[in-house]
Amino acid sequence: MHKHSFRRSCAALAATTSLVLAASACGGTTKQDVAEEGGSTTTAGKADPGAPTKKGLTVGFLPKQVNNPYFTVADKGGEKAVRQLGSTYKEVGPSSGTDTAGQVSYVNTLTQQQVDAMAVSAQDPGALCTALKQAMKNGVKVVTYDSDTRPECRHAFISQASAEDLGRTQVRLLAEQIGHKGEIAILSAAQTATNQNAWIEIMKDELKDPKYKDIKLVKIAYGDDDAQKSFQQTQGLLQEHPQLKGIISPTTVGIKAAAQYLSGSKYKGKVRLTGLGVPNDMRKYVKNGTVEAFELWDPAKLGELAARTAVALSSGQITGKEGETFDAGPMGEYTIGEDGVITLGKPTVFDAKNVDDFDF
Ligand code: RAM
């Protein structure tokens, strides 16, 4: 009872006043606070893998962007799992992929509403940290999914696939399509997005291999996961670089907009396009010859794993430390890796042969 009202007043304070002020007014750092600041870097309490799965929890999902079809599928997967586990699901989030301030206030709202856990896809690695740490201090379990914050600002990150796999395979796909020769560009999402930037770094590293000596990365453009801006950025790339041979767009909004532009232009089938796309968005561009192959994971499974991890954390079965394992129901057993990262699996490559086998 006492803890309850303590949580409520601190959370309310955090949401209405300066977070720094609120943190000190809430009694500074106690042993429990340190434990709850979680992640793999702190001395979180002991995990009890045999603890029963708690029911009646509230789990809030906070995607980068609510009206993005990718997150609609991911969060539906989360919702289904939360319900199956006997808990309550809610979703909040900004409609723009660059509204970082909006994400911060949604974190504060969820904390204030005393959710048991939240699953967040961060638009920026650092901007949400103060709010997320405040959430953890108030006993909320925090997982990130799709796009991470800093490891000390959450208990675990549910990664879609390793950044290594995703960065290198997209370069390999495009290189094959352009015969390992010519100028290429990247069409990304928001300039601050943790996931996009991690993949782009690996792409640059992959391009250092001598087998790509005739490929030149001429530009990285940012479409902010906004369809219109991504379309215009693609148009701009081709105006600025008329010799462009290929584009990698590691965002579902970007690749769709780029495909739409290319398919209605003289570049169709000549300028190659690959990246991360949703099969239902990309099918027609594969069939009309604009796109040969692209890749993705199953977003619903990513959301489901985020939900199952959030509930396992709230149940005390895991704390977010490397080496802990937990039972993710029909998804099988997962082990927490370095820095509290849990990896969903390998991405799938889609092309004319298999794109009809998927419906998401
Ligand atoms: C967009 C978002 C998301 C990314 C996918 C591939 O929907 O940028 O973060 O993981 O594309």
Side-chain angles (χ1 to χ4, degrees), residues 40 47 49 317-326 333-342:
S40 44
Q317 294 158 352
I318 50 172
T319 66
K321 250 193 246 130
E322 182 174 356
E324 291 172 357
T325 57
F326 69 104
E333 199 178 75
Y334 277 84
T335 302
I336 304 183
E338 201 185 340
D339 276 339
V341 178
I342 301 167

Side-chain angles (χ1 to χ4, degrees), residues 64-65 68-71 121-122 145-147 160 188-190 193 195-196 199 225 249-254 276-278 295-297 302:
K64 267 186 186 173
Q65 198 183 20
N68 175 334
Y70 164 82
F71 284 109
S121 175
Y145 69 112
D146 174 70
S147 185
Q160 40 275 68
S188 185
N195 55 348
Q196 300 286 328
W199 302 330
D225 275 346
S249 187
T251 130
T252 58
V253 179
L276 303 178
V278 173
E295 61 184 340
L296 199 72
W297 49 93
L302 182 70

